[in-house]
Amino acid sequence: MKPLPRPTVAPIVAAAFVLLAWTGLACQRAPGPDVAARTFLAAWERQDYAAMYTLLTESVQARIDAAEFAARYRAVEAVVGRVQLHATLGERADPDGDSLARYAVTVRWDTTSFGAIAQQLGMTLVHEAAGWRVEWTPALILSELGDGDTVRRVALPAPRGGLVDRHGATLVPTASARGYPHGPLAAHVIGYVEPAEGGGERGVAGLERWADADLRGVPGERLMVVGADGRPRATVAERPPQPGAVLELTLDAALQTAAEAALDGYTGAIVALDPRDGSVLALASRPTFDPAQVADGGPPPLAAQALNRAIQQAYTVASLFKVVVMGAALESGDYDPATLFRCPGYWRPPGGARVLEDPLSGGHGQLTLSDGLAFSCNVVFYEIAQHLNALDPHLLPATARAYGLGSPTGLIGLEEAAGTVPDPQSAEAHGRAWTVYDAAELAIGHGGLGATPLQLARLFAALATDGVLRQPVLVRRVVETDGRERRAYQSEAQGALPLSETHRRAIQDAMRRVVADPGGTAAAGFRTFPVPTAGKTGSAERDGPVLDALYAGYAPADAPEVVVVAVVEHGGSGGLVAAPLVRRVLDAYFAAR
């Protein structure tokens, strides 16, 4: 019997390979939903909207075309200010699902305006014939975004920085909308604001204008989701506004109030300085205005109201200048405080055709140089002017400038007038020669000599203390709302008076007599005042029969803490009108000590 034939090996081997291949294919799975999800997110990171669109479900693609889809992303990213984006796929929420897969996605936006924005998004994928696809909604851009919603950036105004006085009392509060709770108080110092182009407010006068960049602060922004009806639906992110800085002033609000109250009913100015460090304690001007009315949409103040007469109006100095002339006379070496003069009530230089009158009819008779200042005898100073002018016609004008007249004080924060000092050059510019009469008029503070009340306060502060002219200071510090200092200001020495200590003491003694001597021109205004004071009165010719009234004084006389200057337009007598106003301010100062 023949053996059975063996099977052929080749077909068996081929069949085995077919079986193994079929088994391997059967064991391989199609790409899972996580692959599609990561591919979608990676395309978003590189802003490949076309690739993202191919991974959307058929139903989504039926609702939105590729161009609209890309535009939706670009619009949101432009508003958000996208710089970079990172998207991280979390764990699958339903790991056993065959046709639906849900994931949490963490998205970090790096933006230009809002910094980093972190979002937790929900991502759903559906298994379709073509594989896993993204069931997209606008919430896959931002979690708060729905159909028909848009994204907007809303400006948040920065609170404008406030102003406080030397004791920290609020003059103007830090707030988004400017308010002036004290009305006209210190209006010429503070100034006012008006709406700024593009939003917010800008300062147009006073310290509001000078410190506008510091006071404005930095506006913030809010990233909002807005519905189709225009109403906000959600806040995505916010960059808070940064408040403006605060101005710390040297002003004393209580003393400023007293100075302004003293001026009520008058036109003029009052200045109070601390002579020891140049701090401006009060800077009052009348007429005035209410910045609150301007801030509420009212008209700006009239020119006469807006003029800060304390620093922008140069007044005829009148007899206040006699302290300077006395100093020049003593420094010449030809006079001392006891030098005798005779006042018949008038003066005429040798060969002169014109007679200049003394305010006291009949004259003061025989008196000393010190008497001449205490009783404000014009003839004494006419005589001195004649002598000094013969020595050098430029001597008195140069001395006036050395005492700080004819140039701004250097006050930081507000604009000020320079004032004027007449001299031979100015006379020549007007087509005439300088004469002894020009010198005589200058010696009694007339003839075109003009100074602001602040300049006069600085001059008397130097006389009252150590003979050093100091720069007045109004703004002490500019600080952040948390107290950090941006800038600080302090008084700087601007030069010494051309006056020896002995001669300065002699002028101080004469000024003390202006108040203390029964015949002193300010004696009536300071009768019974409990603190020793010193000062000088003045009455200046203006544009009519009624004179301007001036007074400059300081106290205590032996250790000066405060200098006060008052000028009242058409006030008449300096001793009877201006001196009592200074007394009221000094009353307030010493009452608060």
Side-chain angles (χ1 to χ4, degrees), residues 11 62 133 142 158 178 281 374 394 401 409 422 532 552 584 586 593:
R133 294 292 181 265
L142 293 172
R178 195 43 128 200
L281 304 178
H394 295 90
R401 293 189 176 94
T409 68
R584 289 181 60 181
L586 292 176
R593 289 178 68 190

Side-chain angles (χ1 to χ4, degrees), residues 449-474:
L449 179 65
T452 67
L454 180 62
Q455 288 173 318
L456 295 172
R458 177 180 59 160
L459 187 161
F460 279 84
L463 282 175
T465 52
D466 55 4
V468 175
L469 287 170
R470 289 182 174 82
Q471 175 189 20
V473 177
L474 176 62

Side-chain angles (χ1 to χ4, degrees), residues 64-328:
I64 186 170
D65 61 29
E68 186 182 354
F69 176 79
R72 192 83 159 94
Y73 271 87
R74 289 193 181 99
V76 172
E77 292 174 358
V79 175
V80 172
R82 167 179 166 163
V83 175
Q84 201 169 12
L85 183 139
H86 300 279
T88 304
L89 190 69
E91 293 294 325
R92 184 174 173 180
D94 50 348
D96 297 328
D98 293 330
S99 60
L100 201 66
R102 294 184 176 87
Y103 293 91
V105 177
T106 302
V107 178
R108 173 193 164 106
W109 298 72
D110 292 323
T111 70
T112 54
S113 295
F114 302 98
I117 301 175
Q119 287 257 300
Q120 287 294 123
L121 309 180
M123 188 176 188
T124 300
L125 290 92
V126 177
H127 191 269
E128 297 183 341
W132 288 97
R133 294 292 181 265
V134 177
E135 187 67 24
W136 180 88
T137 69
L140 201 48
I141 306 176
L142 293 172
S143 61
E144 300 88 350
L145 203 61
D147 290 330
D149 293 343
T150 56
V151 181
R152 294 181 189 171
R153 292 163 71 155
V154 179
L156 302 175
R160 190 171 177 86
L163 291 84
V164 299
D165 83 342
R166 66 189 298 107
H167 304 298
T170 298
L171 296 170
V172 180
T174 297
S176 297
R178 195 43 128 200
Y180 301 96
H182 301 292
L185 182 67
H188 293 94
V189 173
I190 296 168
Y192 57 92
V193 298
E194 68 179 14
E197 186 176 344
E201 298 163 320
R202 69 180 188 93
V204 293
L207 292 178
E208 291 277 27
R209 177 182 179 183
W210 172 77
D212 187 59
D214 289 308
L215 295 170
R216 278 193 182 191
V218 180
E221 276 191 306
R222 181 175 292 142
L223 186 63
M224 302 286 296
V225 171
V226 179
D229 57 2
R231 295 180 180 178
R233 289 190 56 248
T235 297
V236 178
E238 185 173 301
R239 175 170 53 82
Q242 300 175 25
V246 174
L247 302 188
E248 293 182 355
L249 307 186
T250 61
L251 283 186
D252 184 314
L255 203 63
Q256 179 75 22
T257 300
E260 295 194 15
L263 271 178
D264 280 344
Y266 294 107
T267 295
I270 292 179
V271 174
L273 283 183
D274 185 331
R276 298 164 295 185
D277 63 6
S279 296
V280 178
L281 304 178
L283 206 64
S285 179
R286 283 292 188 275
T288 188
F289 62 93
D290 188 347
Q293 294 179 359
V294 181
D296 289 341
L302 301 174
Q305 297 171 316
L307 179 65
N308 188 343
R309 286 169 167 77
I311 61 173
Q312 294 174 333
Q313 178 68 57
Y315 289 97
T316 297
V317 178
S319 292
L320 270 62
F321 188 65
K322 289 175 181 175
V323 297
V324 178
V325 180
M326 182 174 177

Side-chain angles (χ1 to χ4, degrees), residues 27 57 296 360 381 543:
C27 291
T57 62
D296 289 341
L360 183 63
F381 292 92
D543 52 6

